[in-house]
């Protein structure tokens, strides 16, 4: 342990700015791995996309909680007064406070983003006035103003305090003004929700469908709460009109806890504002669409879950049938409310059904495209099988695997047939396609059939792009290539500059002899003479370049080494000595077999350049 002297302390001051990421604590303190971590909220706000998604969800929750304020008042039918559900009031105020904090955080987030954007511009010696102007220009004032309007405590003040204390000559007029502000305050919270949802990236058709379905359910919940609140207002309107008609001006308020208001008026109000009347009897006061809430006892209930779901069911039912079953009175505002229900229901229905119809059209189009794609690919595969004269058992096996693959994944890539076939189908298919081709290779002509089958099993499908190089002159030749589709150019030299060489004379020919390899031909037999180790590879005597897109199968050097190690006893004697012979003939790349040239072609006019070799195998009889 390090000992620190007590007689003297030395403090060193550094002019380097403090960086917590470079903090290196000494022994006796915290661990050197300790880092200053940003608060979780700060890290969350730094991710704009994640914060927008979370904020949209929180906006939905806020919009769904706001209607709870309308369930606070209830009708005390026994005493004919207006009561307050104090437990619900306390819960709603706490929930509203929490949702308001979310909007405040969003306001701070927008200001913070604007400040970061201004700071990133690197203003030279800005004054606080110019910086404030730059931040103000960066802010989205529409969003800021919407958030500020959304957090105004209008329902907390108007519904909890003002609503229960209104009285006087202009009571109905005051209540209309109160209702207007309640509805107006609800609009910025809905608009904030829609505004935030538009900032999200494009989503799938299912997500949009769920979004409009949530809007439909949310609208039913909000309209049900309005209906409950308006039904209470409608009954209190009847009370007020009755008092005014009979010159009863000694009432203070309709609030049950108001001790100054007499409560011996129950029979009087039952006579002029009756809720239950016999059939075919004219009502003294028409409650219109709000009669159901009053007659069912929903407006007089303190059972919050019961009146919440009853009101929600009323909103969902009438929103679904566009309000066609509503029987209204002649009261203007009641009819406006019914019209609003019809319009909202129609718009949401059109959005929802239109979204479903769009999904069905896209699904049908996509299904047809997939069907056409499958049909075209199956036709191409059928033509390929006929062209290669595959036996019937292989055809059936391939068709079975293709259909099974398309059943599992309709977007499966069928460009490379071998990529979707199982190993037990690939093996006989490769043997059928390449056994005769392998026998045309001079070195493999007399090879045991077991060795040829193993070579077929090791062949790997590859694809080369147009104008790409398979191998260049002087490169290590690590594969033997068998062409199944496309054309390949082979030529001598042309790459000296790449190896540091160049033309020493301006008289060098501007053209060079080339040869084209096509389907059924191959290149790279030199690889077969290197049996001992894949690290001992021959040098390519020519450059091989793809003229078109080329599909081929390759035998890799390491695979050939593995084959030789497993089948050494089956190889001809001259192949067992092929490696030594190749070393002895290192300066002469024209390898011979039984005294005959292995490759038919031409030799380069440059003595130092190996001769070009290409193979043209005999065609397999049909």
């Amino acid at each position: 342990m390090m000992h620190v002297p007590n007689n003297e302390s030395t403090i060193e001051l550094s002019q380097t700015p403090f960086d917590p990421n470079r903090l290196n604590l000494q022994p006796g303190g915290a661990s050197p791995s300790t880092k200053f971590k940003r608060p979780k909220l700060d890290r969350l706000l730094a991710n704009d996309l994640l914060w927008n998604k979370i904020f949209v969800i929180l906006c939905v929750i806020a919009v769904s909680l706001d209607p709870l304020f309308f369930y606070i008042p209830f009708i005390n039918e026994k005493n004919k007064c207006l009561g307050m559900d104090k437990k619900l009031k306390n819960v709603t105020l706490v929930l509203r406070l929490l949702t308001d904090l979310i909007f405040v955080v969003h306001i701070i987030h927008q200001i913070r983003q604007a400040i970061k954007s201004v700071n990133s511009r690197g203003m030279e010696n800005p004054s606080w006035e110019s910086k404030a102007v730059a931040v103000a220009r960066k802010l989205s004032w529409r969003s800021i103003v919407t958030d500020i309007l959304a957090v105004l405590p209008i329902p907390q003040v108007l519904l909890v305090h003002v609503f229960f204390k209104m009285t006087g000559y202009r009571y109905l007029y005051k209540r209309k003004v109160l209702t207007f502000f309640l509805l107006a305050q609800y609009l910025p919270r809905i608009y904030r929700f829609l505004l935030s949802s538009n900032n999200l990236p494009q989503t799938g058709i299912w997500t949009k469908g769920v979004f409009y379905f949530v809007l439909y359910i949310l609208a039913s919940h909000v309209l049900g709460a309005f209906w409950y609140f308006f039904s209470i207002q409608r009954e209190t309107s009847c009370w007020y009109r009755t008092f005014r008609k009979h010159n009863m001006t000694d009432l203070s308020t309709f609030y049950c806890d108001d001790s100054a208001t007499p409560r011996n008026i129950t029979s009087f109000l039952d006579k002029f504002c009756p809720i239950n009347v016999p059939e075919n009897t004219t009502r003294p006061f028409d409650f219109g669409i709000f009669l159901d809430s009053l007659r069912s006892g929903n407006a007089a209930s303190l059972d919050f879950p019961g009146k919440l779901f009853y009101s929600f069911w009323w909103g969902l039912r009438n929103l679904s049938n566009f309000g066609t079953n509503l029987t209204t009175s002649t009261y203007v505002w009641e009819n406006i409310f019914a019209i609003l229900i019809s319009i909202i229901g129609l718009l949401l229905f059109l959005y929802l059904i239109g979204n479903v119809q769009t999904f069905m059209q896209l699904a049908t189009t996509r299904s047809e495209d997939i069907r056409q794609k499958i049909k075209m690919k199956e036709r191409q595969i059928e033509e390929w099988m006929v062209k290669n004269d595959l036996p019937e058992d292989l055809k059936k096996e391939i068709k079975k695997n293709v259909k099974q693959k398309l059943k599992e994944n309709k977007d499966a890539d069928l460009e490379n047939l071998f990529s979707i076939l199982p190993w037990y189908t690939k093996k006989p298919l490769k043997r059928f396609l390449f056994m005769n081709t392998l026998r045309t290779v001079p070195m493999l002509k007399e090879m045991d059939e077991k060795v040829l089958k193993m070579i077929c099993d090791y062949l790997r499908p590859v694809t080369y792009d147009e104008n790409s190089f398979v191998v260049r002159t002087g490169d290590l030749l690590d594969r033997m290539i068998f062409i199944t589709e496309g054309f390949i150019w082979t030529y001598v030299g042309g790459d000296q500059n790449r190896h540091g060489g160049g033309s020493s004379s301006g008289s060098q020919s501007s053209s060079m002899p080339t040869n084209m390899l096509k389907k059924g031909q191959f290149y790279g037999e030199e690889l077969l003479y290197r049996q001992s180790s894949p690290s001992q590879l021959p040098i390519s005597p020519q450059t091989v370049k793809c003229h078109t897109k080329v599909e081929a199968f390759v035998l890799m050097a390491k695979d050939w080494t593995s084959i030789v190690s497993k089948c050494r006893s089956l190889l001809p004697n001259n192949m067992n000595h092929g490696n030594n012979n190749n070393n002895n003939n290192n300066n002469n790349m024209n390898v011979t077999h039984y005294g005959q040239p292995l490759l038919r072609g031409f030799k380069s006019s440059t003595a130092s350049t190996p001769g070009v070799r290409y193979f043209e195998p005999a065609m397999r009889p049909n």
Side-chain angles (χ1 to χ4, degrees), residues 248-266:
M248 298 177 64
T249 57
D250 57 340
L251 292 178
S252 177
T253 66
F254 296 125
Y255 190 30
C256 293
D257 291 350
D258 186 2
S259 58
T261 303
R263 294 302 168 207
N264 54 355
I265 56 174
T266 303

Side-chain angles (χ1 to χ4, degrees), residues 46-112:
N47 189 337
D48 288 337
L49 182 59
L50 178 60
W51 169 249
N52 285 335
K53 291 181 179 179
I54 295 176
F55 186 63
V56 169
I57 297 174
L58 295 175
C59 284
V60 174
I61 296 174
V63 172
S64 63
L65 291 177
D66 280 348
L68 300 185
F69 278 101
F70 296 112
Y71 292 102
I72 293 177
F74 67 94
I75 297 293
N76 187 332
E77 291 292 346
K78 181 178 179 181
N79 297 319
K80 293 297 181 181
C81 59
L82 193 61
M84 176 191 292
D85 190 339
K86 296 182 179 180
K87 182 185 292 186
L88 179 60
K89 179 194 73 172
N90 295 331
V91 173
T92 306
L93 288 175
V94 171
L95 294 176
R96 170 69 187 223
L97 176 62
L98 295 176
T99 57
D100 284 348
L101 289 177
I102 299 300
F103 287 97
V104 172
V105 170
H106 191 252
I107 293 173
I108 297 173
H109 170 65
Q110 294 176 86
I111 297 175
R112 179 173 174 269

Side-chain angles (χ1 to χ4, degrees), residues 355-566:
N355 198 72
V356 172
Q357 185 179 7
T358 302
F359 168 75
M360 294 177 64
Q361 290 176 348
L362 290 176
T364 303
T365 303
R366 184 171 179 269
S367 178
E368 181 63 22
D369 291 342
I370 293 175
R371 192 182 68 83
Q372 292 294 335
K373 175 184 175 182
I374 294 174
K375 186 176 180 181
M376 181 182 67
K377 292 299 180 182
E378 287 180 342
R379 183 170 63 249
Q380 291 176 351
I381 293 174
E382 181 67 28
E383 292 174 354
W384 179 83
M385 290 190 296
V386 173
K387 185 177 181 179
N388 288 276
D389 196 22
L390 297 186
E392 289 299 323
D393 57 340
L394 264 180
K395 287 183 180 179
K396 292 180 180 179
E397 187 68 23
I398 291 174
K399 290 179 180 178
K400 175 183 175 182
N401 284 284
V402 169
K403 290 181 179 179
Q404 180 65 26
K405 190 67 177 180
L406 292 174
K407 184 178 179 180
E408 296 174 357
N409 181 14
K410 294 183 179 180
D411 294 325
D413 182 15
L414 300 180
E415 292 294 333
N416 188 355
L417 179 62
F418 281 83
S419 65
I420 65 172
L421 295 178
W423 65 270
Y424 53 83
T425 304
K426 291 180 184 179
K427 181 179 288 188
L429 180 58
K430 287 193 290 186
R431 290 179 179 180
F432 178 82
L433 292 175
F434 294 103
M435 280 292 288
N436 290 335
T437 302
L438 292 177
R439 292 194 182 280
T440 63
V441 180
M443 185 175 177
L444 303 177
K445 187 176 297 183
E446 304 299 330
M447 190 67 65
D448 189 280
E449 186 174 355
K450 293 182 179 179
V451 179
L452 297 180
K453 288 183 178 180
M454 187 172 292
I455 293 175
C456 291
D457 297 342
Y458 274 99
L459 291 177
R460 307 181 184 185
V462 294
T463 302
Y464 296 101
D465 294 330
E466 182 180 358
N467 294 324
S468 62
F469 287 89
V470 179
V471 67
R472 297 176 188 260
T473 301
D475 284 350
L476 294 176
L477 186 63
D478 66 342
R479 67 193 64 191
M480 184 177 182
I481 180 172
F482 298 86
I483 304 171
T484 57
E485 290 292 339
F487 297 91
I488 285 180
W489 288 110
T490 63
Y491 55 88
V492 178
D495 295 309
Q496 289 88 345
N497 292 334
R498 186 172 65 90
H499 297 289
S503 178
S504 60
S505 173
S507 62
Q508 184 175 356
S509 175
S510 61
S511 63
M512 61 182 67
T514 60
N515 186 65
M516 178 177 285
L517 303 181
K518 56 185 179 180
K519 178 181 179 181
Q521 296 179 315
F522 52 90
Y523 173 82
E525 189 188 13
E526 292 88 348
L527 182 68
L528 301 179
Y529 291 90
R530 302 284 178 160
Q531 307 167 17
S532 59
S533 172
S535 62
Q536 300 177 2
L537 299 176
I539 302 298
S540 176
Q542 65 244 5
T543 295
V544 181
K545 182 179 180 181
C546 298
H547 180 58
T548 63
K549 180 181 178 181
V550 174
E551 296 179 7
F553 282 77
V554 295
L555 176 64
M556 302 302 296
K558 61 179 182 179
D559 295 334
W560 172 240
T561 301
S562 177
I563 293 172
V564 171
S565 64
K566 295 177 181 178

